[in-house]
Amino acid sequence: MRVLLVDDETEFVSTLAERLCMRGVGADWVSTPEDALEAVANTTYEIAVLDVKIPRMSGLDLKKRIERVSPTTRFIFVTGHGSEADYQTGAAEAGAAFYLVKPVQIGALIAKMKELLAAEKDTP
Amino acid sequence: MSTAEINAGFSGLQFFGRVTASISHELKNSLAIIRESAGLMEDLIALDQGDRPVEPERLQKLAQRINRQTVRADETIKNLNRFAHSVDHPLKSVVLDEVVTLMATVGQRLASMHGLSLTTAGGSSTASLQTSPFLMLQAIWQVLEVAFTHSMSDSRIEIRVESAAPGAKVFFLGFATLNNPAAALAACQARVSSLGAEVVVDPASGAAILKTSPVALAKNGSAE
């Protein structure tokens, strides 16, 4: 499994990536939307884990830009806000099951990734 | 209670909610880093019990990161506490520079989200003023929120404050770097007028100047 993590909190996202790698998930991380777009242009990611709020671009806008470059990439949203408005928007875009609130349980995140890929395979 | 008073009360609550939501996000980020760092320490120790020895320096760096984040979270909570206490007294003697610094610190994350560089000229005024701390914060916030929505990639705002008896002048240097400064000014004026403040632009520097008067703030903030 190849995943891209996007979050402006570099200490969070780099550590999460390292922990995912220790569990057999090929995780790369970036902290800006520009770097995310460059990463998906160079590598095929099955899943992108996006912070809902990142500087200069919303996670939802970034999702749309990534989809143009990499239409097969699926998405999980992570937020620190947890506001009702954020939840409604994020859940509508990613599906309520794939919208997680920080701090994230790594086991739950991996389970969501597997669930997302399994759902993808089951889709005719 | 008049409609204007109800609107003023709601506007204050909205401001309070936005700021506390932003602060809670800050705290969530610190907690997330602490959790991941502690989790990585556990992972490394678990590996150490197998065949890969854990380097003490690695654990030390993770412990230092946790320490840094607890300091950051503590600062965030202190700011939240200062902000919460701004409603304690309708009128109070405040150090102008402290008010401006608090609002700029609290607004830092949202500024960053909008790509706006936000700084303060620290120590610009040690003068004290008898005013409504909450309403003064709210007036500054209104200008900042407009700056957020009008920011461009190279926008930068530096806030400076000076006493202008009986009130204060808060300068937003770099206001001209915003997208459509004239529209931004009009939006600021509309937002702060209900608070008894006004915003003008200094033609020479292009800075926006928020003028607050303690009497007007107190009068407009009162719903009694």
Side-chain angles (χ1 to χ4, degrees), chain A residues 8-9 11-12 15-16 18-19 22-23 55-56 80-81 101-104, chain B residues 25 28-29 33 35-36 39 43 47 58 65 68-69 72 109 112-113:
Chain A
D8 63 308
E9 290 285 345
E11 290 190 335
F12 166 72
T15 311
L16 183 59
E18 186 173 354
R19 297 188 71 207
M22 288 169 125
R23 287 160 175 79
R56 299 184 298 282
H81 262 286
V101 176
K102 286 182 188 175
V104 179
Chain B
H25 190 148
K28 283 263 192 185
N29 279 333
I33 294 168
R35 168 174 276 188
E36 288 311 316
D43 291 348
L47 280 177
R58 194 76 217 282
R65 181 188 292 175
R68 271 201 314 277
Q69 290 301 324
R72 174 186 170 189
R109 178 165 177 83
S112 163
M113 288 292 118

PDB file of all heavy atoms in Angstrom, chain A residues 8-9 11-12 15-16 18-19 22-23 55-56 80-81 101-104, chain B residues 25 28-29 33 35-36 39 43 47 58 65 68-69 72 109 112-113:
ATOM      1  N   ASP A   8       0.370  20.287   7.586  1.00  0.00           N
ATOM      2  CA  ASP A   8       1.375  21.338   7.789  1.00  0.00           C
ATOM      3  C   ASP A   8       2.121  21.194   9.114  1.00  0.00           C
ATOM      4  O   ASP A   8       3.105  21.887   9.343  1.00  0.00           O
ATOM      5  CB  ASP A   8       0.738  22.732   7.689  1.00  0.00           C
ATOM      6  CG  ASP A   8      -0.294  22.992   8.751  1.00  0.00           C
ATOM      7  OD1 ASP A   8      -1.208  22.155   8.891  1.00  0.00           O
ATOM      8  OD2 ASP A   8      -0.200  24.017   9.447  1.00  0.00           O
ATOM      9  N   GLU A   9       1.646  20.315   9.986  1.00  0.00           N
ATOM     10  CA  GLU A   9       2.367  20.061  11.242  1.00  0.00           C
ATOM     11  C   GLU A   9       3.413  18.979  10.955  1.00  0.00           C
ATOM     12  O   GLU A   9       3.136  17.777  11.033  1.00  0.00           O
ATOM     13  CB  GLU A   9       1.398  19.595  12.329  1.00  0.00           C
ATOM     14  CG  GLU A   9       0.465  20.673  12.822  1.00  0.00           C
ATOM     15  CD  GLU A   9       1.143  21.684  13.749  1.00  0.00           C
ATOM     16  OE1 GLU A   9       2.254  21.404  14.248  1.00  0.00           O
ATOM     17  OE2 GLU A   9       0.568  22.755  13.963  1.00  0.00           O
ATOM     18  N   GLU A  11       6.072  17.806  12.448  1.00  0.00           N
ATOM     19  CA  GLU A  11       6.450  16.818  13.466  1.00  0.00           C
ATOM     20  C   GLU A  11       5.374  15.737  13.578  1.00  0.00           C
ATOM     21  O   GLU A  11       5.680  14.571  13.837  1.00  0.00           O
ATOM     22  CB  GLU A  11       6.686  17.497  14.816  1.00  0.00           C
ATOM     23  CG  GLU A  11       7.955  18.343  14.818  1.00  0.00           C
ATOM     24  CD  GLU A  11       8.345  18.823  16.202  1.00  0.00           C
ATOM     25  OE1 GLU A  11       7.458  18.930  17.070  1.00  0.00           O
ATOM     26  OE2 GLU A  11       9.542  19.098  16.414  1.00  0.00           O
ATOM     27  N   PHE A  12       4.138  16.115  13.382  1.00  0.00           N
ATOM     28  CA  PHE A  12       3.042  15.137  13.416  1.00  0.00           C
ATOM     29  C   PHE A  12       3.117  14.219  12.209  1.00  0.00           C
ATOM     30  O   PHE A  12       3.139  12.990  12.326  1.00  0.00           O
ATOM     31  CB  PHE A  12       1.695  15.872  13.447  1.00  0.00           C
ATOM     32  CG  PHE A  12       0.509  14.983  13.152  1.00  0.00           C
ATOM     33  CD1 PHE A  12       0.067  14.046  14.074  1.00  0.00           C
ATOM     34  CD2 PHE A  12      -0.147  15.057  11.924  1.00  0.00           C
ATOM     35  CE1 PHE A  12      -1.017  13.212  13.795  1.00  0.00           C
ATOM     36  CE2 PHE A  12      -1.225  14.235  11.639  1.00  0.00           C
ATOM     37  CZ  PHE A  12      -1.663  13.314  12.576  1.00  0.00           C
ATOM     38  N   THR A  15       6.231  11.849  11.874  1.00  0.00           N
ATOM     39  CA  THR A  15       6.217  10.747  12.845  1.00  0.00           C
ATOM     40  C   THR A  15       5.164   9.715  12.462  1.00  0.00           C
ATOM     41  O   THR A  15       5.407   8.503  12.538  1.00  0.00           O
ATOM     42  CB  THR A  15       5.924  11.285  14.269  1.00  0.00           C
ATOM     43  OG1 THR A  15       6.785  12.396  14.504  1.00  0.00           O
ATOM     44  CG2 THR A  15       6.180  10.235  15.321  1.00  0.00           C
ATOM     45  N   LEU A  16       4.014  10.208  12.040  1.00  0.00           N
ATOM     46  CA  LEU A  16       2.954   9.287  11.614  1.00  0.00           C
ATOM     47  C   LEU A  16       3.434   8.451  10.429  1.00  0.00           C
ATOM     48  O   LEU A  16       3.209   7.231  10.378  1.00  0.00           O
ATOM     49  CB  LEU A  16       1.698  10.086  11.241  1.00  0.00           C
ATOM     50  CG  LEU A  16       0.467   9.281  10.832  1.00  0.00           C
ATOM     51  CD1 LEU A  16       0.030   8.334  11.954  1.00  0.00           C
ATOM     52  CD2 LEU A  16      -0.690  10.207  10.473  1.00  0.00           C
ATOM     53  N   GLU A  18       6.497   7.620   9.683  1.00  0.00           N
ATOM     54  CA  GLU A  18       7.482   6.639  10.151  1.00  0.00           C
ATOM     55  C   GLU A  18       6.793   5.450  10.814  1.00  0.00           C
ATOM     56  O   GLU A  18       7.153   4.300  10.598  1.00  0.00           O
ATOM     57  CB  GLU A  18       8.453   7.313  11.130  1.00  0.00           C
ATOM     58  CG  GLU A  18       9.575   6.383  11.543  1.00  0.00           C
ATOM     59  CD  GLU A  18      10.658   7.062  12.379  1.00  0.00           C
ATOM     60  OE1 GLU A  18      10.607   8.308  12.545  1.00  0.00           O
ATOM     61  OE2 GLU A  18      11.547   6.340  12.860  1.00  0.00           O
ATOM     62  N   ARG A  19       5.773   5.745  11.604  1.00  0.00           N
ATOM     63  CA  ARG A  19       5.059   4.671  12.309  1.00  0.00           C
ATOM     64  C   ARG A  19       4.282   3.790  11.326  1.00  0.00           C
ATOM     65  O   ARG A  19       4.179   2.583  11.505  1.00  0.00           O
ATOM     66  CB  ARG A  19       4.117   5.269  13.360  1.00  0.00           C
ATOM     67  CG  ARG A  19       4.853   6.028  14.457  1.00  0.00           C
ATOM     68  CD  ARG A  19       3.916   6.422  15.563  1.00  0.00           C
ATOM     69  NE  ARG A  19       3.508   5.249  16.324  1.00  0.00           N
ATOM     70  CZ  ARG A  19       2.352   5.155  16.989  1.00  0.00           C
ATOM     71  NH1 ARG A  19       1.488   6.136  16.954  1.00  0.00           N
ATOM     72  NH2 ARG A  19       2.068   4.063  17.657  1.00  0.00           N
ATOM     73  N   MET A  22       6.726   1.451   9.711  1.00  0.00           N
ATOM     74  CA  MET A  22       7.070   0.345  10.615  1.00  0.00           C
ATOM     75  C   MET A  22       6.017  -0.758  10.568  1.00  0.00           C
ATOM     76  O   MET A  22       6.279  -1.883  10.961  1.00  0.00           O
ATOM     77  CB  MET A  22       7.190   0.857  12.061  1.00  0.00           C
ATOM     78  CG  MET A  22       8.415   1.704  12.313  1.00  0.00           C
ATOM     79  SD  MET A  22       8.280   2.494  13.933  1.00  0.00           S
ATOM     80  CE  MET A  22       9.794   1.957  14.684  1.00  0.00           C
ATOM     81  N   ARG A  23       4.820  -0.386  10.128  1.00  0.00           N
ATOM     82  CA  ARG A  23       3.718  -1.360  10.058  1.00  0.00           C
ATOM     83  C   ARG A  23       3.470  -1.838   8.629  1.00  0.00           C
ATOM     84  O   ARG A  23       2.409  -2.361   8.317  1.00  0.00           O
ATOM     85  CB  ARG A  23       2.447  -0.730  10.656  1.00  0.00           C
ATOM     86  CG  ARG A  23       2.516  -0.620  12.162  1.00  0.00           C
ATOM     87  CD  ARG A  23       1.531   0.393  12.711  1.00  0.00           C
ATOM     88  NE  ARG A  23       1.548   0.382  14.174  1.00  0.00           N
ATOM     89  CZ  ARG A  23       2.475   0.979  14.918  1.00  0.00           C
ATOM     90  NH1 ARG A  23       3.458   1.636  14.328  1.00  0.00           N
ATOM     91  NH2 ARG A  23       2.428   0.897  16.242  1.00  0.00           N
ATOM     92  N   PRO A  55      -2.335  25.383   5.050  1.00  0.00           N
ATOM     93  CA  PRO A  55      -2.135  26.759   4.598  1.00  0.00           C
ATOM     94  C   PRO A  55      -2.360  26.929   3.097  1.00  0.00           C
ATOM     95  O   PRO A  55      -1.943  26.103   2.302  1.00  0.00           O
ATOM     96  CB  PRO A  55      -0.678  27.042   4.967  1.00  0.00           C
ATOM     97  CG  PRO A  55      -0.406  26.129   6.108  1.00  0.00           C
ATOM     98  CD  PRO A  55      -1.197  24.886   5.823  1.00  0.00           C
ATOM     99  N   ARG A  56      -3.006  27.992   2.769  1.00  0.00           N
ATOM    100  CA  ARG A  56      -3.206  28.481   1.391  1.00  0.00           C
ATOM    101  C   ARG A  56      -4.165  27.660   0.538  1.00  0.00           C
ATOM    102  O   ARG A  56      -4.496  28.074  -0.566  1.00  0.00           O
ATOM    103  CB  ARG A  56      -1.860  28.631   0.654  1.00  0.00           C
ATOM    104  CG  ARG A  56      -0.915  29.617   1.302  1.00  0.00           C
ATOM    105  CD  ARG A  56       0.337  29.787   0.492  1.00  0.00           C
ATOM    106  NE  ARG A  56       1.094  28.559   0.377  1.00  0.00           N
ATOM    107  CZ  ARG A  56       1.866  28.060   1.329  1.00  0.00           C
ATOM    108  NH1 ARG A  56       1.976  28.701   2.484  1.00  0.00           N
ATOM    109  NH2 ARG A  56       2.537  26.950   1.161  1.00  0.00           N
ATOM    110  N   GLY A  80      -8.156  18.729  12.938  1.00  0.00           N
ATOM    111  CA  GLY A  80      -7.997  19.065  14.343  1.00  0.00           C
ATOM    112  C   GLY A  80      -9.181  19.852  14.853  1.00  0.00           C
ATOM    113  O   GLY A  80      -9.389  20.010  16.046  1.00  0.00           O
ATOM    114  N   HIS A  81      -9.995  20.363  13.913  1.00  0.00           N
ATOM    115  CA  HIS A  81     -11.098  21.247  14.276  1.00  0.00           C
ATOM    116  C   HIS A  81     -12.271  20.509  14.885  1.00  0.00           C
ATOM    117  O   HIS A  81     -12.724  20.823  15.965  1.00  0.00           O
ATOM    118  CB  HIS A  81     -11.595  22.014  13.038  1.00  0.00           C
ATOM    119  CG  HIS A  81     -11.022  23.385  12.951  1.00  0.00           C
ATOM    120  ND1 HIS A  81     -11.431  24.392  13.761  1.00  0.00           N
ATOM    121  CD2 HIS A  81     -10.066  23.891  12.163  1.00  0.00           C
ATOM    122  CE1 HIS A  81     -10.743  25.486  13.465  1.00  0.00           C
ATOM    123  NE2 HIS A  81      -9.906  25.202  12.490  1.00  0.00           N
ATOM    124  N   VAL A 101     -10.759  12.519  13.320  1.00  0.00           N
ATOM    125  CA  VAL A 101     -10.425  13.696  14.126  1.00  0.00           C
ATOM    126  C   VAL A 101      -9.133  13.418  14.899  1.00  0.00           C
ATOM    127  O   VAL A 101      -8.946  12.331  15.444  1.00  0.00           O
ATOM    128  CB  VAL A 101     -11.582  14.030  15.097  1.00  0.00           C
ATOM    129  CG1 VAL A 101     -11.204  15.189  16.005  1.00  0.00           C
ATOM    130  CG2 VAL A 101     -12.845  14.383  14.313  1.00  0.00           C
ATOM    131  N   LYS A 102      -8.231  14.408  14.893  1.00  0.00           N
ATOM    132  CA  LYS A 102      -6.978  14.285  15.643  1.00  0.00           C
ATOM    133  C   LYS A 102      -7.254  14.275  17.138  1.00  0.00           C
ATOM    134  O   LYS A 102      -8.185  14.961  17.563  1.00  0.00           O
ATOM    135  CB  LYS A 102      -6.055  15.466  15.329  1.00  0.00           C
ATOM    136  CG  LYS A 102      -5.392  15.429  13.985  1.00  0.00           C
ATOM    137  CD  LYS A 102      -4.487  16.659  13.873  1.00  0.00           C
ATOM    138  CE  LYS A 102      -3.923  16.809  12.487  1.00  0.00           C
ATOM    139  NZ  LYS A 102      -3.155  18.054  12.328  1.00  0.00           N
ATOM    140  N   PRO A 103      -6.443  13.660  17.972  1.00  0.00           N
ATOM    141  CA  PRO A 103      -5.330  12.791  17.596  1.00  0.00           C
ATOM    142  C   PRO A 103      -5.841  11.472  17.014  1.00  0.00           C
ATOM    143  O   PRO A 103      -6.855  10.960  17.491  1.00  0.00           O
ATOM    144  CB  PRO A 103      -4.587  12.545  18.904  1.00  0.00           C
ATOM    145  CG  PRO A 103      -5.224  13.375  19.955  1.00  0.00           C
ATOM    146  CD  PRO A 103      -6.532  13.832  19.441  1.00  0.00           C
ATOM    147  N   VAL A 104      -5.132  10.967  16.008  1.00  0.00           N
ATOM    148  CA  VAL A 104      -5.588   9.778  15.291  1.00  0.00           C
ATOM    149  C   VAL A 104      -4.958   8.525  15.902  1.00  0.00           C
ATOM    150  O   VAL A 104      -3.774   8.509  16.207  1.00  0.00           O
ATOM    151  CB  VAL A 104      -5.158   9.890  13.807  1.00  0.00           C
ATOM    152  CG1 VAL A 104      -5.582   8.656  13.029  1.00  0.00           C
ATOM    153  CG2 VAL A 104      -5.745  11.130  13.175  1.00  0.00           C
TER     154      VAL A 104
ATOM    155  N   HIS B  25      -7.975  24.059  17.945  1.00  0.00           N
ATOM    156  CA  HIS B  25      -7.245  23.403  16.853  1.00  0.00           C
ATOM    157  C   HIS B  25      -5.758  23.351  17.185  1.00  0.00           C
ATOM    158  O   HIS B  25      -5.091  22.331  16.985  1.00  0.00           O
ATOM    159  CB  HIS B  25      -7.480  24.169  15.560  1.00  0.00           C
ATOM    160  CG  HIS B  25      -6.976  23.452  14.338  1.00  0.00           C
ATOM    161  ND1 HIS B  25      -7.566  23.552  13.122  1.00  0.00           N
ATOM    162  CD2 HIS B  25      -5.943  22.614  14.172  1.00  0.00           C
ATOM    163  CE1 HIS B  25      -6.917  22.803  12.243  1.00  0.00           C
ATOM    164  NE2 HIS B  25      -5.912  22.235  12.863  1.00  0.00           N
ATOM    165  N   LYS B  28      -5.189  20.689  19.679  1.00  0.00           N
ATOM    166  CA  LYS B  28      -5.316  19.370  19.051  1.00  0.00           C
ATOM    167  C   LYS B  28      -4.023  19.008  18.330  1.00  0.00           C
ATOM    168  O   LYS B  28      -3.592  17.854  18.347  1.00  0.00           O
ATOM    169  CB  LYS B  28      -6.471  19.381  18.046  1.00  0.00           C
ATOM    170  CG  LYS B  28      -7.831  19.294  18.680  1.00  0.00           C
ATOM    171  CD  LYS B  28      -8.314  17.859  18.658  1.00  0.00           C
ATOM    172  CE  LYS B  28      -9.781  17.772  19.012  1.00  0.00           C
ATOM    173  NZ  LYS B  28     -10.211  16.376  19.109  1.00  0.00           N
ATOM    174  N   ASN B  29      -3.425  19.976  17.662  1.00  0.00           N
ATOM    175  CA  ASN B  29      -2.181  19.710  16.936  1.00  0.00           C
ATOM    176  C   ASN B  29      -1.062  19.320  17.893  1.00  0.00           C
ATOM    177  O   ASN B  29      -0.312  18.381  17.632  1.00  0.00           O
ATOM    178  CB  ASN B  29      -1.778  20.930  16.113  1.00  0.00           C
ATOM    179  CG  ASN B  29      -2.541  20.996  14.800  1.00  0.00           C
ATOM    180  OD1 ASN B  29      -2.958  19.964  14.272  1.00  0.00           O
ATOM    181  ND2 ASN B  29      -2.752  22.180  14.284  1.00  0.00           N
ATOM    182  N   ILE B  33       0.832  15.601  18.047  1.00  0.00           N
ATOM    183  CA  ILE B  33       2.287  15.394  17.967  1.00  0.00           C
ATOM    184  C   ILE B  33       2.774  14.615  19.182  1.00  0.00           C
ATOM    185  O   ILE B  33       3.603  13.704  19.077  1.00  0.00           O
ATOM    186  CB  ILE B  33       3.021  16.755  17.836  1.00  0.00           C
ATOM    187  CG1 ILE B  33       2.670  17.404  16.499  1.00  0.00           C
ATOM    188  CG2 ILE B  33       4.531  16.564  17.966  1.00  0.00           C
ATOM    189  CD1 ILE B  33       3.081  18.856  16.369  1.00  0.00           C
ATOM    190  N   ARG B  35       1.038  12.530  21.005  1.00  0.00           N
ATOM    191  CA  ARG B  35       0.583  11.134  20.884  1.00  0.00           C
ATOM    192  C   ARG B  35       1.464  10.358  19.899  1.00  0.00           C
ATOM    193  O   ARG B  35       1.888   9.239  20.188  1.00  0.00           O
ATOM    194  CB  ARG B  35      -0.873  11.069  20.426  1.00  0.00           C
ATOM    195  CG  ARG B  35      -1.262   9.651  20.017  1.00  0.00           C
ATOM    196  CD  ARG B  35      -2.706   9.501  19.707  1.00  0.00           C
ATOM    197  NE  ARG B  35      -3.449   9.294  20.930  1.00  0.00           N
ATOM    198  CZ  ARG B  35      -4.732   8.973  20.971  1.00  0.00           C
ATOM    199  NH1 ARG B  35      -5.410   8.858  19.864  1.00  0.00           N
ATOM    200  NH2 ARG B  35      -5.341   8.768  22.106  1.00  0.00           N
ATOM    201  N   GLU B  36       1.747  10.944  18.734  1.00  0.00           N
ATOM    202  CA  GLU B  36       2.560  10.228  17.739  1.00  0.00           C
ATOM    203  C   GLU B  36       3.984  10.012  18.238  1.00  0.00           C
ATOM    204  O   GLU B  36       4.574   8.963  18.000  1.00  0.00           O
ATOM    205  CB  GLU B  36       2.573  10.999  16.407  1.00  0.00           C
ATOM    206  CG  GLU B  36       1.271  10.957  15.650  1.00  0.00           C
ATOM    207  CD  GLU B  36       0.699   9.560  15.505  1.00  0.00           C
ATOM    208  OE1 GLU B  36       1.452   8.614  15.193  1.00  0.00           O
ATOM    209  OE2 GLU B  36      -0.506   9.392  15.737  1.00  0.00           O
ATOM    210  N   GLY B  39       3.885   7.350  20.756  1.00  0.00           N
ATOM    211  CA  GLY B  39       3.628   6.095  20.042  1.00  0.00           C
ATOM    212  C   GLY B  39       4.883   5.574  19.371  1.00  0.00           C
ATOM    213  O   GLY B  39       5.167   4.375  19.402  1.00  0.00           O
ATOM    214  N   ASP B  43       6.925   2.130  19.852  1.00  0.00           N
ATOM    215  CA  ASP B  43       7.283   1.267  18.714  1.00  0.00           C
ATOM    216  C   ASP B  43       8.769   0.908  18.758  1.00  0.00           C
ATOM    217  O   ASP B  43       9.151  -0.240  18.560  1.00  0.00           O
ATOM    218  CB  ASP B  43       6.992   1.986  17.384  1.00  0.00           C
ATOM    219  CG  ASP B  43       5.499   2.154  17.129  1.00  0.00           C
ATOM    220  OD1 ASP B  43       4.693   1.519  17.843  1.00  0.00           O
ATOM    221  OD2 ASP B  43       5.156   2.932  16.226  1.00  0.00           O
ATOM    222  N   LEU B  47      10.575  -2.714  19.304  1.00  0.00           N
ATOM    223  CA  LEU B  47      11.563  -3.282  18.371  1.00  0.00           C
ATOM    224  C   LEU B  47      12.834  -3.673  19.116  1.00  0.00           C
ATOM    225  O   LEU B  47      13.475  -4.671  18.808  1.00  0.00           O
ATOM    226  CB  LEU B  47      11.918  -2.261  17.285  1.00  0.00           C
ATOM    227  CG  LEU B  47      10.927  -2.119  16.133  1.00  0.00           C
ATOM    228  CD1 LEU B  47      11.389  -1.012  15.188  1.00  0.00           C
ATOM    229  CD2 LEU B  47      10.808  -3.427  15.358  1.00  0.00           C
ATOM    230  N   ARG B  58      17.831   8.688  19.842  1.00  0.00           N
ATOM    231  CA  ARG B  58      16.522   8.728  19.172  1.00  0.00           C
ATOM    232  C   ARG B  58      15.410   8.984  20.197  1.00  0.00           C
ATOM    233  O   ARG B  58      14.545   9.831  19.998  1.00  0.00           O
ATOM    234  CB  ARG B  58      16.307   7.381  18.468  1.00  0.00           C
ATOM    235  CG  ARG B  58      15.201   7.356  17.468  1.00  0.00           C
ATOM    236  CD  ARG B  58      15.612   8.053  16.188  1.00  0.00           C
ATOM    237  NE  ARG B  58      14.488   8.796  15.612  1.00  0.00           N
ATOM    238  CZ  ARG B  58      13.508   8.230  14.926  1.00  0.00           C
ATOM    239  NH1 ARG B  58      13.522   6.947  14.703  1.00  0.00           N
ATOM    240  NH2 ARG B  58      12.511   8.953  14.451  1.00  0.00           N
ATOM    241  N   ARG B  65      11.024  16.504  21.871  1.00  0.00           N
ATOM    242  CA  ARG B  65       9.891  16.965  21.061  1.00  0.00           C
ATOM    243  C   ARG B  65       8.620  17.027  21.915  1.00  0.00           C
ATOM    244  O   ARG B  65       7.856  17.983  21.836  1.00  0.00           O
ATOM    245  CB  ARG B  65       9.681  16.014  19.881  1.00  0.00           C
ATOM    246  CG  ARG B  65       8.533  16.443  19.001  1.00  0.00           C
ATOM    247  CD  ARG B  65       8.209  15.400  17.973  1.00  0.00           C
ATOM    248  NE  ARG B  65       9.251  15.249  16.983  1.00  0.00           N
ATOM    249  CZ  ARG B  65       9.229  14.309  16.032  1.00  0.00           C
ATOM    250  NH1 ARG B  65       8.233  13.447  15.974  1.00  0.00           N
ATOM    251  NH2 ARG B  65      10.190  14.233  15.144  1.00  0.00           N
ATOM    252  N   ARG B  68       8.830  20.065  24.049  1.00  0.00           N
ATOM    253  CA  ARG B  68       8.543  21.291  23.274  1.00  0.00           C
ATOM    254  C   ARG B  68       7.050  21.463  23.058  1.00  0.00           C
ATOM    255  O   ARG B  68       6.520  22.563  23.160  1.00  0.00           O
ATOM    256  CB  ARG B  68       9.222  21.196  21.896  1.00  0.00           C
ATOM    257  CG  ARG B  68      10.631  21.725  21.832  1.00  0.00           C
ATOM    258  CD  ARG B  68      11.031  22.060  20.397  1.00  0.00           C
ATOM    259  NE  ARG B  68      10.705  21.052  19.415  1.00  0.00           N
ATOM    260  CZ  ARG B  68      11.450  19.974  19.155  1.00  0.00           C
ATOM    261  NH1 ARG B  68      12.567  19.770  19.835  1.00  0.00           N
ATOM    262  NH2 ARG B  68      11.096  19.111  18.228  1.00  0.00           N
ATOM    263  N   GLN B  69       6.384  20.376  22.761  1.00  0.00           N
ATOM    264  CA  GLN B  69       4.952  20.468  22.482  1.00  0.00           C
ATOM    265  C   GLN B  69       4.134  20.766  23.745  1.00  0.00           C
ATOM    266  O   GLN B  69       3.091  21.411  23.671  1.00  0.00           O
ATOM    267  CB  GLN B  69       4.445  19.187  21.801  1.00  0.00           C
ATOM    268  CG  GLN B  69       4.955  19.027  20.383  1.00  0.00           C
ATOM    269  CD  GLN B  69       4.558  20.180  19.469  1.00  0.00           C
ATOM    270  OE1 GLN B  69       3.469  20.741  19.576  1.00  0.00           O
ATOM    271  NE2 GLN B  69       5.453  20.555  18.554  1.00  0.00           N
ATOM    272  N   ARG B  72       4.482  24.385  24.128  1.00  0.00           N
ATOM    273  CA  ARG B  72       3.603  25.044  23.136  1.00  0.00           C
ATOM    274  C   ARG B  72       2.141  24.985  23.595  1.00  0.00           C
ATOM    275  O   ARG B  72       1.423  25.994  23.538  1.00  0.00           O
ATOM    276  CB  ARG B  72       3.765  24.338  21.788  1.00  0.00           C
ATOM    277  CG  ARG B  72       2.819  24.820  20.712  1.00  0.00           C
ATOM    278  CD  ARG B  72       2.958  23.962  19.458  1.00  0.00           C
ATOM    279  NE  ARG B  72       1.919  24.235  18.482  1.00  0.00           N
ATOM    280  CZ  ARG B  72       1.717  23.508  17.382  1.00  0.00           C
ATOM    281  NH1 ARG B  72       2.488  22.472  17.126  1.00  0.00           N
ATOM    282  NH2 ARG B  72       0.755  23.810  16.546  1.00  0.00           N
ATOM    283  N   ARG B 109      -2.461  31.278  13.549  1.00  0.00           N
ATOM    284  CA  ARG B 109      -2.754  30.070  12.773  1.00  0.00           C
ATOM    285  C   ARG B 109      -3.676  30.376  11.580  1.00  0.00           C
ATOM    286  O   ARG B 109      -3.433  29.922  10.461  1.00  0.00           O
ATOM    287  CB  ARG B 109      -3.371  28.991  13.657  1.00  0.00           C
ATOM    288  CG  ARG B 109      -3.715  27.781  12.836  1.00  0.00           C
ATOM    289  CD  ARG B 109      -4.009  26.518  13.570  1.00  0.00           C
ATOM    290  NE  ARG B 109      -4.377  25.513  12.601  1.00  0.00           N
ATOM    291  CZ  ARG B 109      -3.524  24.767  11.901  1.00  0.00           C
ATOM    292  NH1 ARG B 109      -2.242  24.907  12.095  1.00  0.00           N
ATOM    293  NH2 ARG B 109      -3.933  23.896  11.018  1.00  0.00           N
ATOM    294  N   SER B 112      -1.812  32.092   8.899  1.00  0.00           N
ATOM    295  CA  SER B 112      -1.000  31.130   8.164  1.00  0.00           C
ATOM    296  C   SER B 112      -1.851  30.319   7.186  1.00  0.00           C
ATOM    297  O   SER B 112      -1.442  30.047   6.059  1.00  0.00           O
ATOM    298  CB  SER B 112      -0.298  30.229   9.181  1.00  0.00           C
ATOM    299  OG  SER B 112       0.168  29.074   8.580  1.00  0.00           O
ATOM    300  N   MET B 113      -3.062  29.959   7.617  1.00  0.00           N
ATOM    301  CA  MET B 113      -3.974  29.205   6.747  1.00  0.00           C
ATOM    302  C   MET B 113      -4.285  29.985   5.467  1.00  0.00           C
ATOM    303  O   MET B 113      -4.483  29.406   4.413  1.00  0.00           O
ATOM    304  CB  MET B 113      -5.316  28.940   7.460  1.00  0.00           C
ATOM    305  CG  MET B 113      -5.263  27.925   8.559  1.00  0.00           C
ATOM    306  SD  MET B 113      -4.939  26.299   7.908  1.00  0.00           S
ATOM    307  CE  MET B 113      -3.393  25.947   8.686  1.00  0.00           C
TER     308      MET B 113
END
